[in-house]
Amino acid sequence: MVNNKKLLAWVEEVATLTKPKEIQWVDGSLEENQKLLDLMVEAGSATKLNETEKPGCYLFRSHPSDVARVEGRTYIASKKQEDAGATNNWIDSLEIKETMTKLYNGCMEGRTMYVIPFSMGPIGAPISKIGVEISDSPYVVINMRIMTRMGKVVLDQLSEDSDFIPCLHSIGSPLREGEKDVAWPCAPIESKYITHFPEERMIWSYGSGYGGNALLGKKCLALRIASAQAKDEGWMAEHMLILALTNPEGKTYYVAAAFPSACGKTNLAMMQPTIPGWSVKCVGDDIAWMRIGDDGRLYAVNPEAGFFGVAPGTSMDSNPNAMKAIQKNTIYTNVLLKDNNDVWWEEMGEDAPSHGIDWEGNEWTPASDKKGAHPNARFTAPASQCSVIDENWENPAGVPISAILFGGRRPSTIPLVNEALNWNHGVFMGSATGSETTAANIGAVGVIRRDPFAMLPFCGYNMGDYFNHWINMGEKLGDKAPKIFFVNWFRKDNSGKFIWPGFGENSRVLKYVTERIEGKNLGEETAIGILPKLGDIDVNGLGLSEATVEDLFAIDKEGWLAEITSIEEFYAKIGDRLPARLQAELDKLKDRLTDNGSCGCCGCGK
Ligand code: SAT
Ligand code: MN
C-alpha cells in the first residue's frame, strides 16, 4: 500500500495532465519485467536475441534522431541565471514550466504511465537518494530495473511523509485513437527538453527515450541534481569510475577516475592488468558519490546498479570482463543484428558477419558504406553479472579513496601521467580537463573542448561554485586527501597512431600511482607537476623505443603555453565566480613554464 502523501498527490497530478490510458505502479519483479519485454517484442519495438548465445537478451533500435544525450536541449532551470552559470543552458523556471506543461498536456494519451520508484545507492545507505520516475516508456522501465535498485523494495522505504526526487519523463508521442505505434516513438529534436530544477530537486524530461535523456536516475539525478545537493550538504557527486587495485602483497587501493563520456571509463573500471600479481576489481564505471568518513578519509559509493556502456570498441581485447558480463540478461540498443539473432558491432574483435540488419533496421553487409552499429550503441547490464565486481561494491559506507585520476582524450601535449603538486593544483588540473568530443552527445565529434572534471554536461550549478566546492573539500580533508593525478592514454604520434597501448597496460600507470601513494622515491617535480623519471614506470615488453617513452613525459613548452591560453579563455567564460585560488594556480603554472621569476626547474612556485 502506497501511503506517501507527496507521491500519491504527484501521480494524480501528472495523470490528470498527461492523460494516460492506464497507470502501472512498477514492482521490479521478474514477471513484470518479462511481461514488458514480451509486450515490446509483440509491438515490434524489441527483438529477442538467440536464447543459446544470449539468454534473456533483447535488442532495441532507436529513432535515428534519438541516439545520444542532447546537451543542446538540456537545461538547468533556476531563478537566477548566475546560479546555473556560463557552462549550462539556463532557463527561467517559470517559463520552462509553462512551456513543458503545455507539451505534457495529453502527451501520454493511449499509453501506459509507469510509476518507477528507485534508489540511487544501496537501499537504506546513508548516502542513498530515493527518486520516483514517471515514464510512458516501457523501455525506460526495463533499463531502470538494471541501472538502479527499483520497485517495491524502494516503495517500502517511503513512509507517509518521507521525501523523494520527482522525475517526470515522457517520450512525447501520444498514441491517439486509431493511430498505429512506431518502433521507437519520440518527439522531434526541437521539442525535446531535459530540464533540471536543482533548487526544487526535480527533473522534467520530454521527447527522448535514449540513455541519459530518459533514464533519469543516471546523469539527471545522480549527477546534475545530486551535485547541487552535494554542494549544499558537504559531499561530492562526480562523473567517476571507482576501481579496487590490489598489489602482489595483497594490499588494496581504491581509485576514483573522471573521464568524459565514451573515453574508456568502463574499460578502466574492469581492466585486466597485464603486470603479474596485480588485480583490478570494479566498484562502479560512471558515477561516484563521495563523503568524508569518520576517520576523515574520502569514501565513495557507486549510486548505480548496472552498466550503460558503449558497445562499439568493446571486445575481448579491450574489456574481456564487460564482454563476459553482457552475455545474458542484457539490453542492447542500436547494435547490429546477425542472421542468427546474435549481436555484432564495430571493433568487437569478431569478423563482421557477411549479412545482418544494421542499427537503422536496414540490410547490411561488410560492403555497406554505413556502420552496422551506431557509434553510441549501448549495452545495459546488471553490475552483479560482472565477474570482477568488488566485494565492497554495495557497502553502504563506501570504499576509502586513495587516489583521484582525471583524464581525457588528448592527442598531444598532455603526458601519460602527471601528479598534482598539492590538492589545489589538482583541482586546477581537474578544472582544466580537456578532451576530444565523442558520439555520446549529439554534435561534432573529435574537437577538443574543456570538460572540467568531466562534469561539463553534468554539473547542476555554477561551475565556478563547483570548483570552489572542490577547494573546500580539500580543506576539510587536509592531509587525508587522496593524491590527484592527470592521465592521458590517448597521445598520438605524427602519423596519428596512439603511442600508448592502453587498456590492460594502463595497470603500469596504476602501479606507479600506488607507489607514489606509498611515498616511494619516484618521480620528479617539474613546472607542470610531478612526472615519472625514465624507468619509474615499467614499460618492458611494450616495444616502445626510449625516445617514444621520453616523448610520453616530455614537457612540450609550446603546447603548454597554448594550453594556458585556452584555459585562460575558458576561465574567462566562467566569470567572477572563478575561485581566486584557481587563477593563482594558472598564474603559477605560467610563471614556472616561462621562468618568470622562478627557478624554472621545479614546482616550487618561487
Ligand atoms: O546517455 S548517458 O548519459 O547515460 C551515457 C553517457 O553519455 O555517458
Ligand atoms: Mn558517463
Side-chain angles (χ1 to χ4, degrees):
M1 257 298 285
V2 186
N3 64 359
N4 185 278
K5 290 186 211 143
K6 173 174 160 179
L7 180 55
L8 289 169
W10 181 55
V11 167
E12 193 180 309
E13 184 199 329
V14 172
T16 307
L17 174 64
T18 61
K19 307 180 183 65
K21 83 168 184 286
E22 57 188 10
I23 301 175
Q24 185 175 328
W25 289 74
V26 169
D27 65 18
S29 66
L30 251 174
E31 303 76 63
E32 173 190 82
N33 189 55
Q34 195 54 55
K35 250 194 181 153
L36 289 173
L37 285 161
D38 293 345
L39 218 95
M40 287 185 278
V41 170
E42 206 176 303
S45 61
T47 304
K48 176 157 177 42
L49 296 178
N50 184 317
E51 188 57 24
T52 315
E53 299 292 329
K54 293 281 181 308
C57 295
Y58 292 80
L59 167 70
F60 290 80
R61 290 187 199 103
S62 76
H63 189 271
S65 70
D66 200 24
V67 290
R69 286 183 291 101
V70 276
E71 289 175 15
R73 309 293 309 167
T74 300
Y75 295 91
I76 299 297
S78 54
K79 290 192 199 89
K80 289 191 265 160
Q81 180 159 9
E82 67 244 42
D83 291 332
T87 59
N88 278 312
N89 293 321
W90 174 78
I91 198 151
D92 176 76
S93 298
L94 289 176
E95 181 195 323
I96 190 67
K97 280 184 184 165
E98 205 180 306
T99 308
M100 290 187 75
T101 301
K102 280 190 196 132
L103 291 169
Y104 282 134
N105 190 1
C107 72
M108 294 192 191
E109 259 179 52
R111 301 199 182 274
T112 301
M113 174 177 125
Y114 300 96
V115 183
I116 315 164
F118 63 94
S119 171
M120 297 315 288
I123 288 174
I127 203 167
S128 297
K129 301 270 180 238
I130 290 183
V132 180
E133 176 160 355
I134 289 182
S135 174
D136 51 5
S137 162
Y139 170 84
V140 164
V141 178
I142 59 160
N143 275 275
M144 286 293 283
R145 184 167 181 277
I146 297 175
M147 295 306 298
T148 71
R149 285 93 177 164
M150 174 268 247
K152 184 173 177 309
V153 278
V154 178
L155 215 47
D156 290 347
Q157 295 281 309
L158 283 182
S159 61
E160 215 175 310
D161 295 310
S162 50
D163 207 6
F164 65 91
I165 298 169
C167 309
L168 175 53
H169 170 251
S170 172
I171 50 175
S173 183
L175 197 57
R176 305 245 151 72
E177 214 36 62
E179 256 175 32
K180 200 173 142 16
D181 208 359
V182 292
W184 186 279
C186 62
I189 191 107
E190 63 283 359
S191 46
K192 292 190 209 295
Y193 288 95
I194 325 298
T195 309
H196 307 74
F197 301 87
E199 288 154 353
E200 294 167 67
R201 319 276 199 239
M202 178 170 91
I203 301 156
W204 283 11
S205 167
Y206 181 90
S208 165
Y210 204 88
N213 302 331
L215 312 177
L216 302 186
K218 196 173 178 58
K219 309 296 188 181
C220 299
L221 191 157
L223 286 177
R224 297 195 190 97
I225 296 294
S227 61
Q229 269 177 305
K231 183 195 56 138
D232 295 348
E233 297 167 6
W235 53 284
M236 308 170 95
E238 301 298 330
H239 190 205
M240 289 179 174
L241 67 89
I242 311 160
L243 64 80
L245 178 69
T246 304
N247 69 15
E249 288 75 50
K251 183 161 182 192
T252 297
Y253 303 84
Y254 287 98
V255 176
F259 299 86
S261 295
C263 281
K265 279 205 302 299
T266 307
N267 294 345
L268 186 63
M270 306 174 192
M271 151 233 283
Q272 235 166 41
T274 50
I275 41 175
W278 290 73
S279 68
V280 164
K281 292 267 176 81
C282 172
V283 177
D285 78 330
D286 196 38
I287 301 175
W289 283 0
M290 303 191 286
R291 56 172 190 90
I292 300 176
D294 294 338
D295 61 359
R297 295 185 66 190
L298 193 60
Y299 282 77
V301 163
N302 169 13
E304 301 191 280
F307 307 122
F308 186 65
V310 181
T314 304
S315 70
M316 283 309 278
D317 272 342
S318 68
N319 195 340
N321 291 318
M323 286 300 273
K324 285 184 241 159
I326 61 178
Q327 297 305 311
K328 58 179 185 186
N329 310 320
T330 295
I331 299 163
Y332 290 94
T333 309
N334 288 346
V335 299
L336 177 129
L337 180 69
K338 298 202 292 191
D339 292 347
N340 69 346
N341 267 16
D342 199 351
V343 287
W344 181 87
W345 50 79
E346 279 72 18
E347 290 170 69
M348 187 198 207
E350 196 185 294
D351 286 343
S354 55
H355 176 264
I357 305 293
D358 71 10
W359 70 274
E360 291 188 82
N362 299 319
E363 302 276 332
W364 187 91
T365 72
S368 304
D369 52 7
K370 285 185 167 180
K371 296 213 147 119
H374 185 276
N376 194 39
R378 297 269 172 168
F379 53 77
T380 321
S384 58
Q385 286 185 190
C386 179
S387 57
V388 293
I389 199 77
D390 187 63
E391 61 200 23
N392 276 315
W393 87 279
E394 298 201 277
N395 187 335
V399 295
I401 298 297
S402 299
I404 290 175
L405 313 185
F406 299 120
R409 287 177 185 268
R410 296 300 302 266
S412 65
T413 310
I414 310 298
L416 180 65
V417 55
N418 182 18
E419 181 184 333
L421 301 166
N422 51 53
W423 180 269
N424 281 353
H425 181 228
V427 175
F428 164 74
M429 283 177 163
S431 77
T433 302
S435 190
E436 285 184 332
T437 50
T438 68
N441 166 47
I442 288 183
V445 169
V447 292
I448 303 257
R449 73 168 179 181
R450 293 284 144 204
D451 189 348
F453 298 84
M455 283 287 278
L456 181 74
F458 306 124
C459 180
Y461 60 101
N462 187 300
M463 193 59 88
D465 295 346
Y466 169 84
F467 294 166
N468 202 40
H469 182 50
W470 264 84
I471 292 173
N472 290 340
M473 288 300 290
E475 257 163 24
K476 284 191 204 152
L477 284 160
D479 61 2
K480 304 262 174 58
K483 275 186 181 294
I484 298 178
F485 298 80
F486 200 101
V487 298
N488 177 24
W489 321 132
F490 300 94
R491 276 288 279 271
K492 288 183 177 164
D493 63 17
N494 291 341
S495 66
K497 264 193 19 223
F498 289 115
I499 301 177
W500 181 248
F503 305 112
E505 304 296 2
N506 292 336
S507 55
R508 296 169 190 260
V509 176
L510 294 184
K511 174 174 177 261
Y512 166 81
V513 164
T514 63
E515 288 167 346
R516 285 287 310 162
I517 293 167
E518 291 299 346
K520 271 205 185 166
N521 187 20
L522 300 174
E524 64 185 343
E525 273 196 30
T526 73
I528 60 169
I530 301 167
L531 293 179
K533 299 187 296 298
L534 206 62
D536 284 353
I537 293 183
D538 171 12
V539 292
N540 273 334
L542 292 181
L544 300 176
S545 69
E546 197 167 297
T548 307
V549 177
E550 268 176 8
D551 206 33
L552 280 170
F553 303 111
I555 300 177
D556 158 13
K557 192 168 165 182
E558 289 308 303
W560 274 98
L561 291 177
E563 182 74 4
I564 285 172
T565 307
S566 149
I567 298 168
E568 271 168 349
E569 279 165 18
F570 177 64
Y571 274 6
K573 196 175 150 195
I574 302 288
D576 56 7
R577 294 214 198 170
L578 178 84
R581 275 181 278 188
L582 285 193
Q583 185 60 51
E585 288 296 332
L586 179 65
D587 294 342
K588 279 193 274 180
L589 172 64
K590 202 167 164 181
D591 281 352
R592 291 193 300 259
L593 273 164
T594 53
D595 296 352
N596 253 354
S598 94
C599 67
C601 66
C602 73
C604 61
K606 281 190 229 123

